[in-house]
């Protein structure tokens, strides 16, 4: 079944958004996705992303979080066929609007990129060609996807530069190096949104920006996303950004999703030891300066070759963690992959039985 999105509809500020997201059909479905690297002899070397299952619904903002090297950007690149030649999707499905993307031809993928799925790269300086003016690049992008005259394309480009709160005429006539980082990232946001895509992939959109500019960029993204009811995959290291703005969260470690669910559920009641440690490690502004900051134990990026990827750093690991845990429901909108949680549940049930 195809889900249609009406971009002319304005946001209604309804308090039942969570219920709507639970009932609506997914716009993007990722099922059992695995990505591997291949050596010179074209043999599989390392499985970098393992059995990822995710879905995003129209109007939803999903936050994908985890330490560097956990596979967040690789998963996003796989959506649009942007993986380097040494990497390949070896298992699974990626369905967008009911259409399988993995085996899509390069010609069809080019039509999809930008037009239906927009990608905001973490390197904002690489979003534009340095020796071509911003306006010319926006016009070329519009005319490559739409049958539109140069004059109409210019009007649309100027309109969207204004929508992202930039001095439109000045930016339109500027080269990328003549703009600040914040201005360039806003221009990249305009380039992504001017097609009114169904899905925006924002991969660390505030990297190398100062705190105030980062807040402004993300608030702008949220406002425009609500106005046009598009879905957003927000990849970020900053948990505070994600907790403040997303509807749901997926937590990755070592190429695996260890916990996912509605943002409020995970904020209030995290289950996986890694999720708990991530939340505890957030810097908190207060009048009392802590003697020691909370850190995640073990070497960053240390991944177990078998079983749970976090096993070598987990304070609750035990023998069973050498077996890959399955994702299990711990509520209507909350899932976790952890043997320690299962063990705790078994101990609780055993204790309750002894009381009778």
């Amino acid at each position: 079944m195809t889900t249609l999105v009406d971009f002319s509809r304005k946001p209604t500020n309804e308090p039942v958004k969570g219920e709507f997201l639970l009932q609506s059909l997914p716009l993007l479905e990722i099922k059992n996705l695995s990505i591997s690297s291949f050596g010179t002899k074209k043999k599989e070397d390392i499985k970098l992303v393992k059995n990822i299952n995710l879905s995003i619904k129209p109007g939803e903002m999903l936050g994908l979080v985890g330490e560097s090297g956990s596979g967040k950007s690789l998963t996003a690149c796989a959506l649009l066929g942007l993986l380097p030649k040494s990497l390949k999707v070896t298992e699974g499905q990626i369905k967008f609007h009911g259409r399988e993307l993995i085996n899509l031809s390069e010609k069809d993928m080019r039509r999809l990129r930008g037009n239906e799925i927009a990608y905001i790269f973490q390197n904002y300086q690489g979003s534009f060609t340095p020796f071509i003016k911003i306006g010319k690049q926006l016009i070329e992008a519009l005319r490559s996807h739409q049958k539109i005259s140069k004059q109409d394309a210019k009007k649309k480009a100027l309109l969207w530069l204004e929508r992202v709160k930039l001095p439109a005429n000045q930016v339109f006539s500027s080269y990328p190096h003549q703009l600040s980082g914040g201005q360039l990232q806003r221009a990249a946001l305009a380039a992504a949104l001017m097609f009114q895509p169904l899905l925006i992939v924002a991969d660390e959109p505030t990297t190398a920006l100062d705190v105030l500019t980062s807040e402004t960029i993300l608030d702008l993204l949220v406002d425009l996303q609500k106005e046009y009811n598009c879905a957003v995959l927000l990849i970020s290291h900053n948990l505070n950004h994600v907790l403040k703005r997303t509807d749901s969260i997926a937590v990755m470690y070592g190429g695996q999703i260890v916990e996912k669910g509605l943002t409020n559920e995970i904020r209030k009641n995290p289950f996986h030891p890694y999720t708990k440690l991530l939340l505890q490690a957030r810097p908190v502004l207060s009048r009392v300066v802590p003697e020691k900051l909370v850190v995640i134990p073990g070497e960053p990026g240390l991944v177990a070759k078998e079983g749970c990827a976090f096993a070598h750093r987990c304070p609750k690991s035990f023998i069973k963690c050498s077996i890959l845990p399955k994702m299990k429901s711990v509520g209507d909108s909350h899932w976790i992959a952890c043997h320690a949680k299962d063990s705790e549940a078994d101990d609780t049930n055993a204790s309750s039985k002894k009381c009778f």
Side-chain angles (χ1 to χ4, degrees):
M1 181 177 177
T2 301
T3 305
L4 297 178
V5 179
D6 182 7
F7 286 113
S8 63
R9 187 170 53 124
K10 300 296 182 181
T12 57
N13 296 321
E14 294 177 0
V16 290
K17 185 177 182 183
E19 295 179 15
F20 171 76
L21 290 176
L22 288 173
Q23 295 171 5
S24 60
L25 294 174
L27 174 69
L28 175 73
E29 285 185 283
I30 301 175
K31 295 182 178 179
N32 300 317
L33 179 70
S34 295
I35 302 171
S36 299
S37 66
F38 287 80
T40 54
K41 296 182 180 180
K42 296 184 178 180
K43 292 184 178 180
E44 184 176 338
D45 286 342
I46 306 173
K47 188 172 282 189
L48 302 172
V49 171
K50 307 170 187 176
N51 303 112
I52 296 295
N53 288 278
L54 279 177
S55 65
I56 307 177
K57 296 173 181 177
E60 178 183 8
M61 182 176 285
L62 169 69
L64 191 57
V65 301
E67 291 176 300
S68 295
S70 59
K72 306 184 300 298
S73 294
L74 281 183
T75 302
C77 286
L79 300 182
L80 289 173
L82 295 176
L83 290 173
K85 292 182 180 180
S86 59
L87 303 181
K88 185 179 178 181
V89 173
T90 51
E91 296 177 68
Q93 295 178 316
I94 302 175
K95 287 191 175 182
F96 175 72
H97 226 226
R99 177 173 34 174
E100 177 59 57
L101 298 186
I102 291 177
N103 298 319
L104 209 61
S105 68
E106 180 58 28
K107 183 178 179 181
D108 290 334
M109 189 63 81
R110 281 199 301 267
R111 291 173 182 168
L112 190 73
R113 295 187 193 118
N115 197 34
E116 295 183 57
I117 304 178
Y119 202 122
I120 302 175
F121 295 91
Q122 58 179 308
N123 178 17
Y124 59 84
Q125 293 179 338
S127 299
F128 296 97
T129 303
F131 50 84
I132 301 176
K133 291 183 178 181
I134 297 291
K136 185 176 181 180
Q137 295 187 58
L138 295 179
I139 288 174
E140 287 180 353
L142 283 166
R143 299 194 72 199
S144 68
H145 286 289
Q146 301 174 1
K147 292 182 179 179
I148 187 173
S149 67
K150 280 188 177 182
Q151 192 63 29
D152 288 340
K154 180 178 180 180
K155 289 179 181 178
K156 191 168 186 177
L158 288 170
L159 171 65
W160 276 99
L161 289 173
E162 289 178 357
R163 292 298 309 275
V164 296
K165 301 177 183 179
L166 285 171
N169 288 299
Q170 177 187 335
V171 172
F172 187 89
S173 304
S174 299
Y175 289 99
H177 71 270
Q178 294 175 312
L179 304 179
S180 69
Q183 287 177 321
L184 205 54
Q185 191 64 304
R186 290 191 196 194
L189 186 56
L193 287 167
M194 65 184 182
F195 294 101
Q196 297 182 359
L198 298 176
L199 172 66
I200 298 173
V201 179
D203 188 357
E204 294 284 353
T206 58
T207 298
L209 299 178
D210 63 79
V211 175
L212 293 178
T213 305
S214 297
E215 289 286 333
T216 302
I217 294 292
L218 289 174
D219 287 343
L220 185 58
L221 175 61
V222 170
D223 290 342
L224 292 171
Q225 180 242 347
K226 288 180 179 178
E227 183 174 350
Y228 290 97
N229 196 41
C230 58
V232 176
L233 173 60
L234 176 62
I235 299 172
S236 180
H237 288 117
N238 192 318
L239 268 180
N240 289 327
H241 285 333
V242 174
L243 291 171
K244 181 179 178 181
R245 294 172 175 88
T246 61
D247 302 297
S248 53
I249 292 177
V251 182
M252 286 190 75
Y253 185 87
Q256 301 172 7
I257 291 182
V258 297
E259 188 165 4
K260 61 182 180 179
L262 293 180
T263 300
N264 285 335
E265 287 287 328
I266 291 180
R267 185 210 314 265
K268 295 176 182 177
N269 195 20
F271 283 110
H272 198 281
Y274 179 59
T275 308
K276 291 179 180 180
L277 288 166
L278 278 180
L279 291 170
Q280 291 168 10
R282 287 181 300 154
V284 179
L285 293 177
S286 64
R287 293 181 180 273
V288 180
V289 179
E291 294 183 5
K292 188 177 181 181
L293 295 174
V294 177
V295 296
I296 299 175
E299 181 184 343
L302 181 62
V303 177
K305 292 183 179 180
E306 295 181 356
C308 176
F310 190 59
H312 292 333
R313 300 177 66 187
C314 182
K316 293 188 177 182
S317 64
F318 61 116
I319 296 175
K320 194 176 180 180
C321 294
S322 61
I323 302 171
L324 184 66
K326 294 181 179 179
M327 189 69 69
K328 295 182 179 179
S329 172
V330 288
D332 294 335
S333 54
H334 198 163
W335 296 265
I336 181 179
C338 182
H339 292 304
K341 180 61 184 174
D342 296 339
S343 178
E344 289 175 7
D346 292 341
D347 291 343
T348 302
N349 291 334
S351 298
S352 61
K353 290 178 181 178
K354 290 178 182 178
C355 297
F356 293 95

